[in-house]
Amino acid sequence: MGQSPKQTEFAEMNALEEMIRESSLPKNSMSYQIMNRIGEREMTRTRTSSKRRPNVLKRTILVASAAAVLGGSIIGSGFVSPVMAATLKQIPVLGVLFEGTSEDAVKAAIEQGILSEPNLSVTHDGVTLKVADLLYDGTRLSFILEREGVDLPSTASPYFSEDAKFISNPDSEYVKSRTVAKEDQEKGYIEMPRILVDGQEVAMGEGNFGDYPQLDNAYIVELTKSLNLPDQFELTIQANVTQVNETFEFKVPVNVTNKSVVVKPEQATKSDGQFSYTVKQLDISPVSTRLVLDSKGEVPASAEQTGDYSASMVYYELVDDQGNVLNPRKFDYFNSKPETEYHIDQLFSPVNGTPKSITIKPFTLTVNNKDWSVIGQGKDSRGDKTYLKDLEMTIPVQP
């Protein structure tokens, strides 16, 4: 019996991912992390319009981008909310807001210049791109490009760039099918944009780029690490589209008054003798909460995490002074033995207002050593949590 087109696509994807993982790529390299994050992240199908394909297409584009970039952005998914509505009853989301965000928080973000709708559009050769939404809160920069004039199943270019370097066999059918001369590419796909701040190019570090799952014909860029941008600047976005000669260029003024509340605690370390972590920074804004910490040592194991089972890496739960749990923007599973050192830089949902304190509650998951499956993981659960109560820490935010 022959394979269906969907089965064939999944087979190609699995073969490509296996090819990359089995290559000689160093495990601490950025590209290795890209592939593992793509493979291990839960891919949740989003129900939007009837024209949208299943997530195998999005996954294909993400993996293609990963293989082509080789050292570029860590690719993320999990955008969960619709585009900003004028009524503020819908949640403005550029990859950093969460369901349940209050209207007051949204209004505060707009008043402070964190959220804006530039509504700038450029048309070349029948294709129109529009900068629909922009977010900058001091630690991350996000925007959405909406596309009009072409009818394609996705927005992000599925083609490898001409200077792409491949980890393994460049003659595989998958690679050859996406190595297409520019003159033969289908018209209308958006290539990775170039971003400049006050005329200086911004390096594409860790972040997200590609299809925006909740909206047809939309492309998202989100830079989340080491931006160090001023409160006021001119943002230039330069995007190229396949089979369109002219570059789409946008200039957007950005002016943020009151960026994130940044807390850098002194001597914020907890240890049980073998495992310890140190909180470096907490960033609190109307749209998100960021936790930055370093950990060292062997992960503590409970009585249930012995024999055929073991403890996962240490994860961290944030709780505000009112007892509200702040949900992580994404949750990564790593199917391997935990390392002895980690640098965590993670986004969580926002708090209402500025809390008096944030409590950090470390926990582990229990995994099966045979296949690294997580005990208790399901549709509504990331797995059975074992809280490390001796390692809990409360960080004061307000004096």
Side-chain angles (χ1 to χ4, degrees):
M1 183 180 294
Q3 289 185 314
S4 69
K6 183 185 294 185
Q7 288 173 320
T8 301
E9 285 188 89
F10 275 114
E12 288 180 354
M13 286 305 307
N14 291 334
L16 178 65
E17 291 182 25
E18 190 67 22
M19 173 188 76
I20 293 175
R21 285 198 178 88
E22 290 184 354
S23 71
S24 59
L25 190 68
K27 292 191 175 183
N28 60 353
S29 73
M30 187 70 76
S31 299
Y32 184 91
Q33 296 176 46
I34 290 174
M35 294 313 306
N36 276 290
R37 283 177 182 255
I38 292 172
E40 292 156 14
R41 181 165 300 124
E42 291 179 292
M43 300 294 286
T44 302
R45 180 175 180 177
T46 303
R47 296 180 181 177
T48 50
S49 72
S50 59
K51 293 192 295 182
R52 185 162 300 285
R53 292 185 180 181
N55 264 357
V56 64
L57 177 60
K58 298 191 187 77
R59 188 163 167 242
T60 299
I61 292 170
L62 291 178
V63 175
S65 301
V69 173
L70 290 182
S73 302
I74 292 292
I75 302 172
S77 62
F79 310 115
V80 293
S81 310
V83 178
M84 180 165 52
T87 61
L88 299 180
K89 292 181 180 178
Q90 290 178 298
I91 306 168
V93 178
L94 302 170
V96 293
L97 294 186
F98 297 75
E99 292 179 356
T101 302
S102 68
E103 289 187 23
D104 287 343
V106 173
K107 290 177 180 177
I110 293 173
E111 290 170 357
Q112 295 173 23
I114 291 172
L115 287 170
S116 63
E117 291 182 293
N119 287 323
L120 301 175
S121 66
V122 174
T123 300
H124 290 311
D125 196 14
V127 178
T128 299
L129 296 186
K130 181 174 75 172
V131 181
D133 297 282
L134 177 73
L135 181 149
Y136 174 62
D137 70 350
T139 61
R140 66 207 60 83
L141 174 68
S142 304
F143 60 84
I144 288 176
L145 293 176
E146 293 183 354
R147 180 191 63 188
E148 297 175 357
V150 291
D151 185 16
L152 294 171
S154 64
T155 54
S157 174
Y159 307 115
F160 292 127
S161 64
E162 294 178 347
D163 58 350
K165 298 177 182 179
F166 299 100
I167 301 168
S168 189
N169 181 14
D171 297 321
S172 71
E173 289 302 317
Y174 183 89
V175 171
K176 287 194 295 185
S177 69
R178 284 157 179 79
T179 304
V180 179
K182 280 192 174 293
E183 61 270 20
D184 296 325
Q185 295 175 4
E186 193 167 3
K187 179 181 177 179
Y189 288 111
I190 301 174
E191 298 175 352
M192 186 189 297
R194 185 168 177 248
I195 302 169
L196 300 93
V197 169
D198 291 334
Q200 299 297 314
E201 186 167 4
V202 176
M204 296 293 279
E206 186 166 341
N208 309 294
F209 65 95
D211 286 356
Y212 179 63
Q214 272 62 50
L215 191 66
D216 284 331
N217 291 309
Y219 184 103
I220 187 166
V221 170
E222 181 181 71
L223 304 181
T224 59
K225 302 287 177 68
S226 305
L227 290 178
N228 298 318
L229 304 181
D231 294 352
Q232 184 174 350
F233 57 88
E234 181 182 67
L235 175 69
T236 301
I237 302 166
Q238 297 175 343
N240 289 313
V241 172
T242 55
Q243 291 287 23
V244 176
N245 292 327
E246 296 88 351
T247 296
F248 295 75
E249 182 172 277
F250 306 88
K251 292 185 181 294
V252 186
V254 178
N255 187 6
V256 179
T257 63
N258 300 321
K259 294 189 296 189
S260 305
V261 174
V262 178
V263 180
K264 295 184 178 181
E266 296 181 3
Q267 299 179 340
T269 299
K270 276 283 187 175
S271 175
D272 66 357
Q274 64 174 4
F275 177 87
S276 67
Y277 71 97
T278 300
V279 175
K280 299 292 187 179
Q281 188 168 315
L282 270 174
D283 295 348
I284 300 170
S285 83
V287 295
S288 63
T289 306
R290 180 192 290 276
L291 171 67
V292 181
L293 64 80
D294 292 326
S295 69
K296 275 187 171 184
E298 296 288 338
V299 174
S302 67
E304 292 78 18
Q305 295 170 333
T306 56
D308 293 335
Y309 301 92
S310 61
S312 69
M313 66 173 287
V314 176
Y315 296 94
Y316 301 88
E317 185 176 282
L318 299 188
V319 182
D320 68 14
D321 56 334
Q322 302 300 312
N324 300 309
V325 176
L326 310 183
N327 295 314
R329 175 177 166 255
K330 58 185 174 64
F331 194 90
D332 293 322
Y333 294 96
F334 294 92
N335 302 324
S336 61
K337 183 179 178 180
E339 304 290 338
T340 55
E341 291 188 20
Y342 282 99
H343 175 71
I344 303 296
D345 189 336
Q346 188 172 14
L347 289 175
F348 293 78
S349 54
V351 295
N352 290 324
T354 303
K356 294 180 180 178
S357 64
I358 295 288
T359 297
I360 301 167
K361 302 176 68 175
F363 67 91
T364 59
L365 302 174
T366 300
V367 297
N368 189 317
N369 294 334
K370 293 181 180 179
D371 57 7
W372 301 106
S373 59
V374 177
I375 305 304
Q377 181 186 359
K379 179 180 178 182
D380 300 317
S381 173
R382 297 188 176 98
D384 297 341
K385 297 179 179 179
T386 298
Y387 287 95
L388 308 174
K389 295 185 177 180
D390 292 342
L391 292 172
E392 288 187 7
M393 181 193 308
T394 298
I395 304 293
V397 176
Q398 296 182 355

